[in-house]
Amino acid sequence: MSTILITGAGTGFGRESALRLAEKGHAVIAGVEIFPQIFDLQQEAKKRGVNLQVEKLDITNEKDREKAWQWDIDVLVNNAGVAEGGAVADIPEKNLRHQFEVNVFGTILLTQGFAKAMAQKNEGKIIFISSVAGLMTDPFSGPYSASKHALEAFATALHKELKEFGIQVTTINPGPYLTGFNDRMYETWKNWDDQPEKRLFDYDQLAFPHMQLDPEAVYETVVDVVSGKSKLYRNVTPKAMKKQLQALMAAEWEVTQNSGTGKRDNMVQQAYDMKPGTPAKTFILDKLLKSF
């Protein structure tokens, strides 16, 4: 069994994945951003009868990163992340910088220390919880998508750079899952320090423009990638999205500069029409995929 560090384990994918991996018998270090999350996660681990080492680990904090590098781990799961929603023309500088400080700089700086430690041992695995947003972009999620595109580039570079040291690098790319994360992205505008009258869009009327799936498949994918059951470098989940993503990425080569100019984009309209937290049932997965 492996010793695994998973960041951002206080909520969402990270929290449940940490518990699932501990249930499988792995030694799991669950890194959480703030101290109050420690007790809460410890209580949940106790309730489920698993051993879980919970540590305060804010990946944007230099001292926290230095503390983490003292842990001897086999697998690093870079899960910590935030989502700042808003149109590129509207989002304030502070929010834009925060998006990259967490998802890109904090993640890569933490990874650097562990990559060197793993290279000394000639073994290890680094997993990035990326997103389908790292491969495609919706309106109003440009900052988040840009941070994930950057993470994809770093992951690909590390995959090529570290293979000679026996280190495996892989990504997990979840689609739209109902954990609250996507809906919170569309509420970050409420804390903007800007001039509302100068905004191009009415964010009070917008919502995440996709139906969202039950996150069970993501937890299963994390376990499969950690254990080596999945051999793929890029792990899109749900798997059914893979072909649609490939088609979307290929279609971008044919888009013209004036395509749709003067008309509202379909996804913009969908953001106005959708209600927050709209769940998707299994039997309408095909409809969900067609919305991308």
Side-chain angles (χ1 to χ4, degrees), residues 28-217:
V28 179
I29 304 173
V32 300
E33 181 185 9
I34 55 177
F35 284 111
Q37 292 174 326
I38 294 178
F39 178 76
D40 180 60
L41 187 51
Q42 286 175 334
Q43 291 300 108
E44 180 62 22
K46 182 178 180 180
K47 178 181 176 181
R48 291 168 63 161
V50 298
N51 293 318
L52 198 63
Q53 179 181 341
V54 187
E55 300 280 353
K56 191 263 187 184
L57 174 55
D58 176 354
I59 63 172
T60 66
N61 185 297
E62 182 180 3
K63 294 299 181 182
D64 280 8
R65 293 195 299 266
E66 291 175 352
K67 176 184 69 175
W69 291 333
Q70 305 307 309
W71 304 328
D72 184 16
I73 66 171
D74 304 299
V75 182
L76 169 63
V77 182
N78 282 309
N79 169 77
V82 297
E84 294 279 355
V88 176
D90 283 338
I91 187 168
E93 177 183 351
K94 180 180 178 181
N95 298 78
L96 186 59
R97 290 185 180 279
H98 180 244
Q99 179 68 87
F100 279 79
E101 285 294 340
V102 179
N103 289 18
V104 182
F105 298 119
T107 297
I108 297 305
L109 290 173
L110 178 70
T111 299
Q112 286 180 333
F114 283 115
K116 291 176 180 177
M118 289 176 179
Q120 291 293 321
K121 299 188 296 182
N122 286 304
E123 62 179 354
K125 181 179 288 188
I126 299 172
I127 301 168
F128 291 91
I129 307 297
S130 181
S131 171
V132 296
L135 308 174
M136 55 167 282
T137 307
D138 280 337
F140 310 121
S141 63
Y144 174 70
S145 188
S147 72
K148 291 298 186 178
H149 275 69
L151 203 61
E152 289 284 329
F154 277 116
T156 300
L158 284 166
H159 176 70
K160 296 175 180 179
E161 294 162 356
L162 298 180
K163 60 176 60 179
E164 68 180 89
F165 300 102
I167 302 171
Q168 300 175 41
V169 178
T170 184
T171 72
I172 297 175
N173 298 71
Y177 285 93
L178 190 55
T179 64
F181 184 84
N182 296 316
D183 296 303
R184 288 194 297 272
M185 173 169 59
Y186 274 70
E187 295 179 351
T188 55
W189 63 271
K190 295 178 181 179
N191 295 317
W192 284 1
D193 183 11
D194 69 338
Q195 296 175 287
E197 67 277 6
K198 292 187 176 182
R199 296 173 185 167
L200 290 180
F201 296 94
D202 182 359
Y203 294 99
D204 193 41
Q205 302 300 316
L206 299 176
F208 182 69
H210 299 287
M211 292 177 285
Q212 301 178 64
L213 298 161
D214 185 293
E216 180 65 30

Side-chain angles (χ1 to χ4, degrees), residues 15 73 201 221 226:
R15 178 186 174 93
I73 66 171
F201 296 94
T221 301
V226 168

